[in-house]
Amino acid sequence: MLLAAGFLRPADAAGFTATVQAESATLAGGAVVATNHTGFTGSGFVGGFTDGNKGTAAVTAAVNVPAAASYDLSLRYANGTGSAKTLSLYQAGTKVRQLTLPPSANWNSWSDLHTTLSLPAGSNQLSYRFDSTDSGNVNLDRLTVTDLPGGGPTPDGALEAESATLSGGVVVATDHPGFTGTGFVGGYTDANKGNAATTFAVTAAKAGSSTATLRYANGTGVAMTLSLYANGSKVRQISLPATANWDTWGTAAEAVPVNAGANTIAYKFDSADSGNVNLDNLAVAAPTDPPPAGGAALEGSFLSGGTTVGTSITGYAGSGYVTGFTAVGGRAIRTVNLLAAGNAQTTLRYSNSSGSTKTLSAYANGVKVGQVSLPAASGWATVQQTLPLRAGLNLIGYQYDAGDSGNVALDDLAVAGSTDLATRGATVPYTEYEAESSSTNGVVIGPDRTYRTVASESSGRRAVRLDNAGKYTQFTLTKPANSIVVRYSIPDNAAGTGITAPLGVYVGGAKVKDLSLTSAYSWVYGNYPFPNDPGLGGGHRFYDEVRSTLPSYPAGTVLRLQNDTSTPITIDLIDTEVVAPAYSMPANSVDLTAYGAVSGSGDDTAAFNAAVSAAKAAGKTLWIPSGTFDLTARVTIDNVTIRGAGMWHTTVRGNAGRGGFFANGGAVQLADFYFAGDVRYRDPDGSVTTDAALEGKFGPGSLIHNVWLEHSKVGLWASSGTTGLYVAGVRIRDMFADGLNLNTFSGDGSPVTNSRVDQSVFRNTGDDAMAMWSFSSAVADCAFTFNTAALPALANGGAIYGGNGNRIEDNLFSDTVYTAAGITISTWHSAQPFSGTTVVQRNTITRAGGFNTDWNSSQGGLWIYAEGREITSPVLIRDVDILDSTYQGISMSWQKNVTNLTFDRVKVQNTGTFGIDIQVAGSATFNNVTVSGTLAGGLNNAFGFTLNRGPGNSGF
């Protein structure tokens, strides 16, 4: 990678810095010098860390240093893949550690990765390698090596540990190099367990959530723990991974609540901690606005049934706590990500000043697992409980059920063995591989965004075409897997009814199985609503997906997808994951097969109806075991739970366009199954000849989670009267219309309120991936949070059409195709007016925007569209990245005024036309908005729109 051989360090080690270009290093294993991306320094950069060179690609250099010391290795790199990648750092042929390289904005943007490493005096052989356990696929520009001798300068704004308040046996030490300031704090030894503490004094300009970054050393070889306290209250136990040795320093960042004014942040060696670390300094970021919904504190949970966020009890963590457990039905549901399945210890922080013990019911993934007793206490207290959790995403709920006493406040929940959720987008159990980034002897198509081309509907606008027998694409598993999903396209036939073709899966040169591909659920023609008639010409919507289980393969296994026929096959992407064993039937359940359903034998609609009635009457869960069960009509449900053995084990199958579940009341729970619809075209507007997978009024207490919906008209159509619905961990793919719509178009016209879609993935929908549509009345206080939506064939990633106080937060949107934006805020489609504050924040929009051939006009990555009504209620667009838009970055249109609009901390980078294109009258405030890389200019203001410019703007 980098590091030129023979660079001489000055005799005086202090202040040593060496900058070395990657292209000057020794390259091996396929690593090559390249210049096809901008922004590099020197004469080029090093690429070739591709999957085809996995296990071999490396860069090695000799670096001469005059003294043994700790050095900062600052690696300048680009990672445009959209996800973190890894390489391995070697010193003198010995692996030091695996390095994680977070994504940069795109391949033309460069980031710096800092690694602290102790180097002996003299020549040092340093290598960056793409090992078999790494994910690679990065470019390297240069390395800057800087010495970090003991007594180095304190970073700007950091607090030195040796200047903090020390107690319980901790002491200032200087016997390991690389510290900043005048020393570091040691003494977190077993003899001081339960007592040792370092307390920092912190002043904050406002209350909120801050990030505290602790610089520490842990030479024990294993991760150790300390407890983090804010203002005397324990926030959580933190893990401090091992550093290379005691002379190497790492950092650990944690969210911590602060009050306006004086605060204390302490790191304590509690009795439940393992300690044995050294502390150097603490950097505390300025407080941010309230944390996103996926944060650790329970106020970010989904709340319904009367629960709400409170702030009147002092000493809470985060931005508040959950209160309002005053009546049956009050609940809070939090998402948590587990590394492994099993019984996990949870620590719940609560307040109960009633003088007597109170209770709530505890739920794990929608199943009641017991009651939690919360003894009376002064101030905040904690209680521990063991819950059965799954590997990956879990839902932990606390609910006031009949028999509970409630009337407590909940602050924070710590779960042993949990790991961070994704900061934006859904946290998913699978690993995704782009075909064009794999090794292939096929044809890489794209990039191309021309409507009705296969490349334009491909992820990243590129794919691999395997034209005939013997053509393949292959990739190396970076994580173990026993399943595969392939997004593919094959030709249609002249009648539009589809053809089939096999796709071979090979491992080690031997075929494992054939995947059966079909074009029956892809290919539409003509103009909206795009009938299934090839005679209309203009074919598009080319892609479908196939899924299959596989034998279990470890990381490092090479999987090859090979065309063994004469039918051309285009491969876009591949998802692999470890499928868990089938779940067991929970207690208090009735089995579908007891009412006549037989897997794979024919129509099971009558059995479903009978079983639903029996389960509802008995207050039991309807259990669908492993197998495939068929519907020929919708099944109406209310006040009933339907669960399967898992989305890879239980299949409910539609037939001839019909089949699904229709909700008509409260307490509807659907979980753990795969719905395979049989819809092959989109109904014309006003015609209903095909069904949605899930539809209807979902009343209080409803929950949909861990379901996979495919090949229906709509995935989820939640209509008038829906309230308190929580949707989490859902996969919605290959629909002919909307992926999900919270709307008042259907039903009695009553509002849709307090519902949320969270941690879900949408791909290849035929209309908006996610929409809120206030048609007859308002959609109010609803949210789309932490979702990933890609490749809607028509319309937007996320859309709000009117309504009151709705939110789109912490999502990833990408690759829209036609008449589309990544996010749309609009009064189109006869929407009701906006009221309250509409919030769009912490989202990333990539390769979005589209063109409407009927209007002969384009839409931006973010689109404000005042069509039927003016938009005058507050709309806040904050912390949004709009990257590589097909046309405008931000567009505002059309005939109505737009006012009360605020843009804050918004980045527009690389656009096909203008950075900001305004085709309306009105006004907006712009703070910290940056525009760069625009083809037509930073701003087009055609109607005299007033821009109230605050601080930090540039480029427009």
Side-chain angles (χ1 to χ4, degrees):
M1 231 156 185
L2 312 18
L3 300 176
F7 195 100
L8 296 178
R9 176 176 172 164
D12 181 4
F16 168 74
T17 297
T19 298
V20 191
Q21 296 296 332
E23 64 272 19
S24 301
T26 301
L27 312 183
V32 293
V33 177
T35 58
N36 58 317
H37 295 294
T38 60
F40 59 82
T41 60
S43 60
F45 59 88
V46 171
F49 285 89
T50 57
D51 290 341
N53 296 324
K54 187 166 189 167
T56 60
V59 181
T60 302
V63 177
N64 290 320
V65 297
S70 291
Y71 292 82
D72 174 64
L73 278 58
S74 178
L75 176 63
R76 190 170 191 260
Y77 71 94
N79 171 11
T81 66
S83 61
K85 298 296 183 182
T86 61
L87 291 176
S88 292
L89 172 63
Y90 283 72
Q91 180 181 6
T94 300
K95 185 171 180 175
V96 176
R97 69 181 73 103
Q98 187 181 65
L99 305 176
T100 299
L101 293 81
S104 52
N106 52 50
W107 289 110
N108 298 321
S109 296
W110 300 85
S111 299
D112 292 290
L113 179 72
H114 292 270
T115 306
T116 300
L117 188 63
S118 295
L119 300 178
S123 179
N124 289 265
Q125 294 291 323
L126 299 175
S127 301
Y128 290 83
R129 301 183 186 178
F130 188 0
D131 280 356
S132 59
T133 57
D134 293 323
S135 50
N137 289 279
V138 294
N139 294 330
L140 309 177
D141 180 35
R142 72 181 182 209
L143 184 73
T144 300
V145 182
T146 306
D147 66 315
L148 291 172
T154 301
D156 289 344
L159 304 172
E160 289 294 343
E162 67 271 18
S163 300
T165 300
L166 311 181
S167 59
V170 296
V171 293
V172 177
T174 58
D175 55 324
H176 294 290
F179 57 83
T180 62
T182 59
F184 60 87
V185 169
Y188 282 93
T189 57
D190 291 341
N192 296 323
K193 187 167 188 171
N195 299 305
T198 302
T199 303
F200 297 87
V202 176
T203 301
K206 63 177 183 178
S209 177
S210 291
T211 299
T213 302
L214 177 69
R215 191 170 189 260
Y216 72 95
N218 172 13
T220 66
V222 296
M224 307 302 278
T225 61
L226 290 178
S227 290
L228 172 63
Y229 284 73
N231 296 314
S233 297
K234 185 172 179 176
V235 178
R236 67 185 65 87
Q237 185 183 68
I238 66 169
S239 178
L240 301 171
T243 54
N245 49 49
W246 288 109
D247 300 336
T248 301
W249 300 86
T251 59
E254 296 285 340
V256 61
V258 294
N259 302 320
N263 296 264
T264 59
I265 296 176
Y267 293 85
K268 298 184 179 182
F269 189 177
D270 282 354
S271 59
D273 295 323
S274 50
N276 289 276
V277 294
N278 295 329
L279 309 186
D280 183 31
N281 65 49
L282 180 70
V284 182
T288 62
D289 295 306
L298 279 169
E299 73 271 16
S301 304
F302 174 71
L303 308 179
S304 67
T307 54
T308 186
V309 175
T311 57
S312 60
I313 304 172
T314 60
Y316 56 81
S319 59
Y321 52 85
V322 179
T323 186
F325 290 99
T326 57
V328 170
R331 63 176 177 166
I333 305 175
R334 178 189 156 185
T335 53
V336 62
N337 191 35
L338 265 291
L339 295 173
N343 292 321
Q345 186 180 72
T346 65
T347 302
L348 178 65
R349 190 170 189 254
Y350 71 94
S351 175
N352 174 13
S353 58
S354 69
S356 61
T357 297
K358 299 295 184 181
T359 63
L360 291 173
S361 292
Y363 286 76
N365 296 306
V367 176
K368 186 171 181 176
V369 292
Q371 204 175 48
V372 57
S373 294
L374 305 168
S378 60
W380 293 98
T382 60
V383 63
Q384 292 188 327
Q385 186 181 28
T386 298
L387 298 179
L389 299 179
R390 303 168 177 178
L393 187 73
N394 290 262
L395 308 184
I396 297 177
Y398 295 98
Q399 185 165 306
Y400 190 154
D401 285 348
D404 290 324
S405 51
N407 289 282
V408 293
L410 305 183
D411 182 32
D412 186 70
L413 178 69
V415 182
S418 64
T419 188
D420 290 341
L421 297 161
T423 54
R424 293 187 183 184
T427 298
V428 297
Y430 54 81
T431 303
E432 195 155 280
Y433 305 86
E434 291 285 351
E436 67 273 14
S437 297
S438 303
S439 175
T440 184
N441 63 355
V443 177
V444 176
I445 63 171
D448 188 355
R449 303 190 197 185
T450 305
Y451 182 43
R452 301 184 194 261
T453 62
V454 175
S456 73
E457 296 184 21
S458 303
S459 173
R461 317 300 178 134
R462 302 177 71 202
V464 171
R465 191 177 68 242
L466 311 177
D467 284 318
N468 46 45
K471 300 299 182 181
Y472 66 84
T473 182
Q474 67 181 26
F475 60 99
T476 303
L477 292 178
T478 59
K479 294 181 179 179
N482 63 3
S483 69
I484 190 169
V485 175
V486 179
R487 187 168 193 259
Y488 69 89
S489 177
I490 61 174
D492 202 3
N493 62 4
T497 55
I499 66 170
T500 61
L503 176 65
V505 180
Y506 290 77
V507 173
K511 180 182 283 191
V512 176
K513 63 169 29 178
D514 278 323
L515 304 178
S516 181
L517 314 183
T518 179
S519 59
Y521 298 103
S522 54
W523 289 87
V524 295
Y525 301 90
N527 296 323
Y528 181 88
F530 311 115
N532 191 23
D533 180 3
L536 297 172
H540 61 288
R541 198 182 180 277
F542 304 105
Y543 279 102
D544 194 14
E545 298 183 14
V546 62
R547 68 178 205 161
S548 178
T549 56
L550 296 172
S552 294
Y553 295 113
T557 303
V558 176
L559 294 185
R560 172 177 290 194
L561 302 179
Q562 181 169 303
N563 188 355
D564 295 325
T565 75
S566 60
T567 301
I569 300 172
T570 299
I571 307 297
D572 182 23
L573 56 81
I574 305 98
D575 296 333
T576 64
E577 65 182 292
V578 174
V579 174
Y583 304 130
S584 299
M585 182 172 70
N588 199 36
S589 298
V590 297
D591 192 320
L592 177 68
T593 60
Y595 294 84
V598 179
S599 175
S601 69
D603 187 4
D604 298 302
T605 307
F608 268 97
N609 285 324
V612 165
S613 296
K616 178 182 174 182
K620 295 185 177 183
T621 293
L622 171 56
W623 170 252
I624 312 174
S626 296
T628 299
F629 302 92
D630 286 275
L631 292 177
T632 57
R634 297 190 310 191
V635 175
T636 300
I637 52 176
D638 72 284
N639 288 285
V640 70
T641 293
I642 301 176
R643 304 184 72 91
M647 59 172 64
W648 282 91
H649 299 284
T650 295
T651 297
V652 179
R653 187 167 59 190
N655 287 269
R658 309 317 295 252
F661 294 101
F662 186 84
N664 192 30
V668 170
Q669 184 180 156
L670 301 168
D672 299 332
F673 63 85
Y674 171 56
F675 184 84
D678 187 32
V679 174
R680 304 179 184 218
Y681 61 94
R682 176 169 178 161
D683 282 333
D685 294 342
S687 172
V688 182
T689 58
T690 58
D691 291 329
L694 309 176
E695 186 176 356
K697 178 175 70 175
F698 294 84
S702 292
L703 173 64
I704 301 171
H705 67 108
N706 201 43
V707 297
W708 186 333
L709 310 175
E710 217 164 11
H711 297 154
S712 293
K713 180 178 182 179
V714 173
L716 171 59
W717 187 266
S719 55
S720 294
T722 292
T723 185
L725 169 65
Y726 186 44
V727 179
V730 170
R731 305 182 197 185
I732 297 180
R733 299 177 180 174
D734 305 309
M735 296 292 158
F736 281 85
D738 299 67
L740 176 146
N741 199 313
L742 307 178
N743 72 92
T744 60
F745 179 79
S746 301
D748 60 10
S750 58
V752 171
T753 60
N754 190 35
S755 296
R756 181 165 138 195
V757 181
D758 191 24
Q759 297 291 352
S760 295
V761 179
F762 301 80
R763 191 159 66 205
N764 196 34
T765 57
D767 214 307
D768 291 317
M770 294 179 286
M772 304 179 201
W773 182 17
S774 298
F775 183 80
S776 298
S777 58
V779 175
D781 301 316
C782 293
F784 298 148
T785 60
F786 293 97
N787 303 293
T788 299
L791 295 154
L794 168 70
N796 313 286
I800 301 178
Y801 301 108
N804 181 2
N806 299 305
R807 299 177 288 126
I808 299 178
E809 297 177 338
D810 305 289
N811 302 280
L812 296 176
F813 299 102
S814 63
D815 294 313
T816 60
V817 177
Y818 177 66
T819 309
I823 297 176
T824 291
I825 305 299
S826 175
T827 55
W828 197 13
H829 302 309
S830 303
Q832 295 293 308
F834 282 97
S835 58
T837 299
T838 301
V839 178
V840 175
Q841 64 179 344
R842 298 185 304 269
N843 301 284
T844 300
I845 303 169
T846 307
R847 294 182 302 273
F851 195 87
N852 188 315
T853 54
D854 294 331
W855 303 344
N856 194 34
S857 65
S858 57
Q859 297 83 45
L862 175 71
W863 185 24
I864 311 296
Y865 183 36
E867 191 260 358
R869 304 174 187 267
E870 294 184 338
I871 299 176
T872 57
S873 292
V875 177
L876 174 61
I877 314 292
R878 179 170 54 195
D879 292 311
V880 175
D881 296 331
I882 307 170
L883 310 176
D884 198 14
S885 297
T886 304
Y887 297 96
Q888 311 96 318
I890 299 170
S891 60
M892 301 185 210
S893 60
W894 175 231
Q895 299 170 336
K896 308 292 183 180
N897 283 359
V898 174
T899 60
N900 230 338
L901 178 63
T902 300
F903 294 90
D904 188 15
R905 301 192 297 266
V906 175
K907 177 170 69 175
V908 176
Q909 182 174 294
N910 297 337
T911 65
T913 59
F914 295 102
I916 303 172
D917 184 22
I918 305 176
Q919 302 285 337
V920 294
S923 63
T925 298
F926 293 80
N927 298 323
N928 304 298
V929 176
T930 60
V931 177
S932 62
T934 61
L935 188 63
L939 174 66
N940 180 44
N941 187 357
F943 284 73
F945 190 87
T946 300
L947 281 72
N948 299 311
R949 296 176 181 266
N953 299 305
S954 64
F956 67 101

